Amino acid sequence: MNIARVNRISEFDGQTVQLNGWVYNSRRSGKIGFLMLRDGFGIIQCIVAKNDVGEDKFEEFKKITQESSLSIVGEVVKNERAPGGFEIITADLTIHHISTDYPISPKEHGTDFLMNNRHLWLRSKRQHSILKVRHEIIKATRDFFDSHDFTLVDSPIFTSNAAEGSTTLFSTDYFEEQAYLSQTGQLYGEASAMAFGRHYNFGPTFRAEKSKTRRHLTEFWMVEPEIAFCEIEEDMEWAERLIHFIIKRVLENKRAELDILERDIPQLEEALKPFPRISYTEGVNMLKEGGIDFEWGDDFGAPHETFIAEKFEQPIIVHRFPAAIKAFYMKRDPENEKVVLGMDILAPEGYGEIVGGSERETRIDVLEERIAEEGLNQEDFDWFLDLRRFGSVPHSGFGMGIERVVAWICKLPHVRETIPFPRMMGRLRP
Ligand code: 4AD
Ligand code: MG
């Protein structure tokens, strides 16, 4: 007997197959039952008629509940009106387990309730679609870099230092000393770029974000390419090409999921256009012209990002930020030492920053000065400064937060639905 999967059911047209899965829902009308079977790969309608399965099996069918597990044997037949275009005419069914009082019913539940039942909520159609899109985004990201000769080199999670601000560090005992969970793989990525030319690292990163916003997690996944002999303009090009590639892939391969999520496709397709580039200073002027009280030198908050990004249909690149609000490693603009050659990509539709990157400072004295200014421990960065001592070259990179991209592409109200088991302030379980 062929064991079929719902996503490949058309390959079995006219054949009798076995399907293993769970009850998405079921109903009966007299001697005929309708079962929506969820097998992890999709959902299919199975017709269970008393005349086909016999009296005993039909009695068993009557006992099934939402999320009971079972195997079905039946014929695959085309039916234009069935969701997915095919249905199963059941000949036999075997129940593995009857589920009792499954907590998530088709009725509306509050977010907190659903988050507490995240381990079960993952089975729902919407969450399933989101995580399928997430997988596609991750695969596209890897394929993009792999096909351009980038080498994946993993950065460590236990680190001895802060790289993205000491206020969001998670610390943990590390034998006789203190270690911090990595906020970014970048500094190690710079070492890898000097060894491999083009490198990326892709792993979980951690930030003790005390703010409860719809954009912040405490554990999130970041992909970080780092490229030797690359200046800021080329860095922006790589980021733009990556995002174009991801959008194309999702549109090609995850259309059904986007439909379930009711994603506005033409709006998403706008992101395939070139990304306008504006300087931070131009952004500040846009805010001022819009009557928003904002001082040059301040960091953009979410409302400022949204205000600027709303003027465009596609993502935009904002570059050349004040040095004082950016990380120590960003290169000063030789044409204006007050700003750094950093860039952020802001997604449209109010999603804000999805990418942050820069050209890297190569002058040891400037780096030492900035490390001191940030109150960071010089000794922890000695190895990093070696990269400027032994064959230093212009180099650039960026970090793209996977969850922010998933939230935008799926157009979700909150980043908590973009990751299987979100970690946020006040959320460590399940
Ligand atoms: O802008 P960030 O802080 O940049 C860096 O960490 C650099 N070291 C990257 C590099 O140049 N290699 O973070 C990069 C991206 C942000 O643009 C955002 O997409 C995501 O990481 N991000 C978060 N996502 C979810 N929750 C949070 N708390 C996030 N903080 C940053
Ligand atoms: Mg940033």
Side-chain angles (χ1 to χ4, degrees), residues 44-83:
I44 194 163
Q45 174 165 288
C46 306
I47 309 296
V48 185
K50 195 174 188 170
N51 284 344
D52 297 334
V53 297
E55 191 125 355
D56 291 353
K57 290 284 176 170
F58 198 71
E59 283 308 306
E60 276 196 44
F61 170 75
K62 284 182 180 172
K63 289 187 221 146
I64 64 165
T65 52
Q66 189 188 355
E67 289 304 322
S68 290
S69 49
L70 75 181
S71 295
I72 293 277
V73 172
E75 190 189 345
V76 180
V77 297
K78 267 206 186 86
N79 178 353
E80 297 297 314
R81 281 170 305 154

Side-chain angles (χ1 to χ4, degrees), residues 164 207 326 344 353 355-356:
E164 297 294 338
R207 296 195 193 173
K326 287 291 178 184
D344 280 0
E353 182 194 331
V355 164

Side-chain angles (χ1 to χ4, degrees), residues 45-220:
Q45 174 165 288
C46 306
I47 309 296
V48 185
K50 195 174 188 170
N51 284 344
D52 297 334
V53 297
E55 191 125 355
D56 291 353
K57 290 284 176 170
F58 198 71
E59 283 308 306
E60 276 196 44
F61 170 75
K62 284 182 180 172
K63 289 187 221 146
I64 64 165
T65 52
Q66 189 188 355
E67 289 304 322
S68 290
S69 49
L70 75 181
S71 295
I72 293 277
V73 172
E75 190 189 345
V76 180
V77 297
K78 267 206 186 86
N79 178 353
E80 297 297 314
R81 281 170 305 154
F86 287 89
E87 63 187 12
I88 307 291
I89 307 299
T90 309
D92 193 15
L93 64 102
T94 308
I95 295 172
H96 300 296
H97 179 247
I98 294 285
S99 156
T100 42
D101 300 329
Y102 185 70
I104 303 177
S105 57
K107 71 164 195 225
E108 290 274 313
H109 294 286
T111 308
D112 229 37
F113 176 83
L114 290 169
M115 289 305 295
N116 288 337
N117 287 286
R118 184 69 177 163
H119 52 297
L120 303 175
W121 192 21
L122 295 180
R123 304 179 189 190
S124 78
K125 228 188 240 178
R126 236 181 98 79
Q127 299 307 314
H128 190 268
S129 300
I130 294 166
L131 293 184
K132 286 293 234 183
V133 173
R134 177 187 170 100
H135 178 203
E136 189 72 37
I137 290 170
I138 291 172
K139 179 154 169 39
T141 300
R142 289 188 182 279
D143 286 348
F144 177 80
F145 289 123
D146 294 349
S147 67
H148 289 99
D149 293 340
F150 283 70
T151 302
L152 174 72
V153 184
D154 304 308
S155 291
I157 301 294
F158 284 134
T159 59
S160 64
N161 58 272
E164 297 294 338
S166 45
T167 56
T168 60
L169 278 177
F170 278 112
S171 63
T172 179
D173 287 341
Y174 194 77
F175 307 107
E176 254 73 80
E177 38 177 345
Q178 195 160 51
Y180 304 101
L181 299 185
S182 175
Q183 297 172 305
T184 169
Q186 179 196 321
L187 303 190
Y188 299 92
E190 291 189 41
S192 300
M194 298 305 128
F196 296 87
R198 290 178 181 178
H199 139 87
Y200 70 104
N201 65 77
F202 195 169
T205 44
F206 305 87
R207 296 195 193 173
E209 303 279 3
K210 293 207 183 70
S211 51
K212 291 187 181 172
T213 77
R214 60 195 203 95
R215 298 177 182 181
H216 288 92
L217 294 163
T218 53
E219 177 179 314
F220 60 98

